[in-house]
Amino acid sequence: MRVLVAEDHRVLARTVATGLRRQAMAVDIASTGAEAEQMCLLTAYDVLILDRDLPVMSGDEVCRRLRELTDPPRILMLTAAGELADRVYGLTALGADDYLAKPFDFTELVARVRALSRRAPKAAPAVLRFGDVTLDETRREVSAAGTPLELTPKEFAVLSVLVRAGGAPVPHDELVRRIWDEHLDPRTSAVRATISRLRGKLGDPGLILADKGEGYRLCD
């Protein structure tokens, strides 16, 4: 999942981004409204966590502009303006998909981001299957041939993308874009290392194939 955090409070932005990355999300940060809009035009984010009080261009204006796109990201407004009237205005007049007032509980933020990603157009069902592999994205559970597996957040995210692809190859750069973020060097061995660990835990080294020049795919 690719997430953009648009927040001008640097400490808060870094804290939220770090926490979401630990949940295997690829997270970028924008510190102004104009920067957030430009980044959304260049990158297909699944969810935008948007502060209403941004410099250069307000979060309200960013929300209005992005709603004009054919396929905008899901927008979670994260703001100190938490009165009922503010929430209603954000969800109705501005067109935000969700609204969370500061201060907030981080576990609730993660739950809301995941819920928004599942509401995205053409989203796959919460329980995904490929051959003997079953992956429950809501409960964050995986099993192979009925045996539960313990996966790290990154391993879970990589397997989720591969299962969603249904056997089609997923390029290395696509895995980096969707699971890591813009700060990861595409030449790093992080993807290969994660794939290697996944093969070991799945118990079938041939289940995940590396197609030269194409990426990685599941083989039934």
Side-chain angles (χ1 to χ4, degrees), residues 166-181:
V170 180
H172 176 278
D173 290 349
E174 177 72 4
L175 288 173
V176 171
R177 184 187 70 80
R178 296 184 61 179
I179 300 171
W180 281 268
D181 54 53

PDB file of all heavy atoms in Angstrom, residues 166-181:
ATOM      1  N   GLY A 166      -2.250 -12.855  -9.236  1.00  0.00           N
ATOM      2  CA  GLY A 166      -2.828 -14.074  -9.783  1.00  0.00           C
ATOM      3  C   GLY A 166      -1.925 -14.872 -10.702  1.00  0.00           C
ATOM      4  O   GLY A 166      -2.403 -15.517 -11.636  1.00  0.00           O
ATOM      5  N   GLY A 167      -0.631 -14.839 -10.471  1.00  0.00           N
ATOM      6  CA  GLY A 167       0.297 -15.587 -11.303  1.00  0.00           C
ATOM      7  C   GLY A 167       0.982 -14.751 -12.365  1.00  0.00           C
ATOM      8  O   GLY A 167       1.919 -15.222 -13.013  1.00  0.00           O
ATOM      9  N   ALA A 168       0.520 -13.514 -12.543  1.00  0.00           N
ATOM     10  CA  ALA A 168       1.187 -12.608 -13.494  1.00  0.00           C
ATOM     11  C   ALA A 168       2.453 -12.061 -12.847  1.00  0.00           C
ATOM     12  O   ALA A 168       2.504 -11.884 -11.624  1.00  0.00           O
ATOM     13  CB  ALA A 168       0.262 -11.461 -13.881  1.00  0.00           C
ATOM     14  N   PRO A 169       3.488 -11.795 -13.624  1.00  0.00           N
ATOM     15  CA  PRO A 169       4.729 -11.278 -13.033  1.00  0.00           C
ATOM     16  C   PRO A 169       4.559  -9.866 -12.487  1.00  0.00           C
ATOM     17  O   PRO A 169       3.867  -9.038 -13.087  1.00  0.00           O
ATOM     18  CB  PRO A 169       5.722 -11.312 -14.199  1.00  0.00           C
ATOM     19  CG  PRO A 169       4.875 -11.277 -15.428  1.00  0.00           C
ATOM     20  CD  PRO A 169       3.611 -12.002 -15.080  1.00  0.00           C
ATOM     21  N   VAL A 170       5.178  -9.619 -11.341  1.00  0.00           N
ATOM     22  CA  VAL A 170       5.184  -8.292 -10.732  1.00  0.00           C
ATOM     23  C   VAL A 170       6.617  -7.782 -10.780  1.00  0.00           C
ATOM     24  O   VAL A 170       7.505  -8.372 -10.166  1.00  0.00           O
ATOM     25  CB  VAL A 170       4.703  -8.342  -9.269  1.00  0.00           C
ATOM     26  CG1 VAL A 170       4.726  -6.937  -8.660  1.00  0.00           C
ATOM     27  CG2 VAL A 170       3.310  -8.936  -9.180  1.00  0.00           C
ATOM     28  N   PRO A 171       6.882  -6.696 -11.507  1.00  0.00           N
ATOM     29  CA  PRO A 171       8.254  -6.185 -11.623  1.00  0.00           C
ATOM     30  C   PRO A 171       8.866  -5.821 -10.272  1.00  0.00           C
ATOM     31  O   PRO A 171       8.158  -5.431  -9.337  1.00  0.00           O
ATOM     32  CB  PRO A 171       8.086  -4.943 -12.511  1.00  0.00           C
ATOM     33  CG  PRO A 171       6.825  -5.176 -13.260  1.00  0.00           C
ATOM     34  CD  PRO A 171       5.932  -5.926 -12.304  1.00  0.00           C
ATOM     35  N   HIS A 172      10.171  -5.957 -10.198  1.00  0.00           N
ATOM     36  CA  HIS A 172      10.924  -5.587  -8.993  1.00  0.00           C
ATOM     37  C   HIS A 172      10.614  -4.157  -8.577  1.00  0.00           C
ATOM     38  O   HIS A 172      10.345  -3.874  -7.400  1.00  0.00           O
ATOM     39  CB  HIS A 172      12.421  -5.758  -9.273  1.00  0.00           C
ATOM     40  CG  HIS A 172      13.318  -5.328  -8.157  1.00  0.00           C
ATOM     41  ND1 HIS A 172      13.667  -4.000  -7.951  1.00  0.00           N
ATOM     42  CD2 HIS A 172      13.942  -6.029  -7.168  1.00  0.00           C
ATOM     43  CE1 HIS A 172      14.456  -3.912  -6.909  1.00  0.00           C
ATOM     44  NE2 HIS A 172      14.651  -5.126  -6.415  1.00  0.00           N
ATOM     45  N   ASP A 173      10.618  -3.235  -9.548  1.00  0.00           N
ATOM     46  CA  ASP A 173      10.363  -1.827  -9.239  1.00  0.00           C
ATOM     47  C   ASP A 173       8.957  -1.606  -8.710  1.00  0.00           C
ATOM     48  O   ASP A 173       8.723  -0.702  -7.902  1.00  0.00           O
ATOM     49  CB  ASP A 173      10.603  -0.960 -10.482  1.00  0.00           C
ATOM     50  CG  ASP A 173      12.068  -0.872 -10.843  1.00  0.00           C
ATOM     51  OD1 ASP A 173      12.911  -1.306 -10.035  1.00  0.00           O
ATOM     52  OD2 ASP A 173      12.374  -0.382 -11.953  1.00  0.00           O
ATOM     53  N   GLU A 174       7.997  -2.422  -9.156  1.00  0.00           N
ATOM     54  CA  GLU A 174       6.631  -2.294  -8.678  1.00  0.00           C
ATOM     55  C   GLU A 174       6.532  -2.699  -7.212  1.00  0.00           C
ATOM     56  O   GLU A 174       5.829  -2.063  -6.425  1.00  0.00           O
ATOM     57  CB  GLU A 174       5.695  -3.154  -9.524  1.00  0.00           C
ATOM     58  CG  GLU A 174       4.244  -3.167  -9.074  1.00  0.00           C
ATOM     59  CD  GLU A 174       3.506  -1.874  -9.337  1.00  0.00           C
ATOM     60  OE1 GLU A 174       4.090  -0.959  -9.954  1.00  0.00           O
ATOM     61  OE2 GLU A 174       2.342  -1.768  -8.928  1.00  0.00           O
ATOM     62  N   LEU A 175       7.241  -3.753  -6.840  1.00  0.00           N
ATOM     63  CA  LEU A 175       7.258  -4.165  -5.432  1.00  0.00           C
ATOM     64  C   LEU A 175       7.884  -3.080  -4.566  1.00  0.00           C
ATOM     65  O   LEU A 175       7.385  -2.770  -3.475  1.00  0.00           O
ATOM     66  CB  LEU A 175       8.024  -5.476  -5.279  1.00  0.00           C
ATOM     67  CG  LEU A 175       7.333  -6.736  -5.804  1.00  0.00           C
ATOM     68  CD1 LEU A 175       8.278  -7.928  -5.745  1.00  0.00           C
ATOM     69  CD2 LEU A 175       6.061  -7.030  -5.025  1.00  0.00           C
ATOM     70  N   VAL A 176       8.966  -2.483  -5.054  1.00  0.00           N
ATOM     71  CA  VAL A 176       9.607  -1.394  -4.310  1.00  0.00           C
ATOM     72  C   VAL A 176       8.643  -0.224  -4.148  1.00  0.00           C
ATOM     73  O   VAL A 176       8.492   0.344  -3.059  1.00  0.00           O
ATOM     74  CB  VAL A 176      10.897  -0.933  -5.024  1.00  0.00           C
ATOM     75  CG1 VAL A 176      11.435   0.337  -4.365  1.00  0.00           C
ATOM     76  CG2 VAL A 176      11.956  -2.034  -4.981  1.00  0.00           C
ATOM     77  N   ARG A 177       7.949   0.131  -5.219  1.00  0.00           N
ATOM     78  CA  ARG A 177       7.048   1.286  -5.196  1.00  0.00           C
ATOM     79  C   ARG A 177       5.881   1.077  -4.247  1.00  0.00           C
ATOM     80  O   ARG A 177       5.471   1.987  -3.526  1.00  0.00           O
ATOM     81  CB  ARG A 177       6.516   1.564  -6.602  1.00  0.00           C
ATOM     82  CG  ARG A 177       5.639   2.810  -6.693  1.00  0.00           C
ATOM     83  CD  ARG A 177       4.999   2.935  -8.064  1.00  0.00           C
ATOM     84  NE  ARG A 177       3.993   1.917  -8.278  1.00  0.00           N
ATOM     85  CZ  ARG A 177       2.745   1.984  -7.801  1.00  0.00           C
ATOM     86  NH1 ARG A 177       2.372   3.010  -7.057  1.00  0.00           N
ATOM     87  NH2 ARG A 177       1.879   1.028  -8.048  1.00  0.00           N
ATOM     88  N   ARG A 178       5.329  -0.125  -4.216  1.00  0.00           N
ATOM     89  CA  ARG A 178       4.121  -0.366  -3.447  1.00  0.00           C
ATOM     90  C   ARG A 178       4.374  -0.747  -1.994  1.00  0.00           C
ATOM     91  O   ARG A 178       3.497  -0.549  -1.145  1.00  0.00           O
ATOM     92  CB  ARG A 178       3.285  -1.468  -4.121  1.00  0.00           C
ATOM     93  CG  ARG A 178       2.785  -1.087  -5.505  1.00  0.00           C
ATOM     94  CD  ARG A 178       1.906  -2.147  -6.099  1.00  0.00           C
ATOM     95  NE  ARG A 178       0.714  -2.380  -5.283  1.00  0.00           N
ATOM     96  CZ  ARG A 178      -0.234  -3.261  -5.601  1.00  0.00           C
ATOM     97  NH1 ARG A 178      -0.118  -3.967  -6.709  1.00  0.00           N
ATOM     98  NH2 ARG A 178      -1.272  -3.426  -4.825  1.00  0.00           N
ATOM     99  N   ILE A 179       5.549  -1.290  -1.696  1.00  0.00           N
ATOM    100  CA  ILE A 179       5.768  -1.822  -0.358  1.00  0.00           C
ATOM    101  C   ILE A 179       6.828  -1.045   0.420  1.00  0.00           C
ATOM    102  O   ILE A 179       6.749  -0.934   1.643  1.00  0.00           O
ATOM    103  CB  ILE A 179       6.148  -3.317  -0.430  1.00  0.00           C
ATOM    104  CG1 ILE A 179       4.995  -4.077  -1.103  1.00  0.00           C
ATOM    105  CG2 ILE A 179       6.435  -3.895   0.949  1.00  0.00           C
ATOM    106  CD1 ILE A 179       5.320  -5.504  -1.436  1.00  0.00           C
ATOM    107  N   TRP A 180       7.792  -0.508  -0.274  1.00  0.00           N
ATOM    108  CA  TRP A 180       8.796   0.313   0.393  1.00  0.00           C
ATOM    109  C   TRP A 180       8.441   1.783   0.107  1.00  0.00           C
ATOM    110  O   TRP A 180       7.280   2.139   0.142  1.00  0.00           O
ATOM    111  CB  TRP A 180      10.196  -0.090  -0.075  1.00  0.00           C
ATOM    112  CG  TRP A 180      10.674  -1.343   0.604  1.00  0.00           C
ATOM    113  CD1 TRP A 180      11.398  -1.432   1.755  1.00  0.00           C
ATOM    114  CD2 TRP A 180      10.441  -2.709   0.186  1.00  0.00           C
ATOM    115  NE1 TRP A 180      11.632  -2.756   2.079  1.00  0.00           N
ATOM    116  CE2 TRP A 180      11.061  -3.551   1.142  1.00  0.00           C
ATOM    117  CE3 TRP A 180       9.777  -3.303  -0.891  1.00  0.00           C
ATOM    118  CZ2 TRP A 180      11.034  -4.943   1.047  1.00  0.00           C
ATOM    119  CZ3 TRP A 180       9.745  -4.687  -0.983  1.00  0.00           C
ATOM    120  CH2 TRP A 180      10.364  -5.486  -0.030  1.00  0.00           C
ATOM    121  N   ASP A 181       9.348   2.654  -0.167  1.00  0.00           N
ATOM    122  CA  ASP A 181       8.999   4.034  -0.478  1.00  0.00           C
ATOM    123  C   ASP A 181      10.105   4.675  -1.281  1.00  0.00           C
ATOM    124  O   ASP A 181      11.066   4.016  -1.679  1.00  0.00           O
ATOM    125  CB  ASP A 181       8.686   4.838   0.795  1.00  0.00           C
ATOM    126  CG  ASP A 181       9.808   4.764   1.826  1.00  0.00           C
ATOM    127  OD1 ASP A 181      10.958   5.064   1.461  1.00  0.00           O
ATOM    128  OD2 ASP A 181       9.525   4.416   2.980  1.00  0.00           O
TER     129      ASP A 181
END
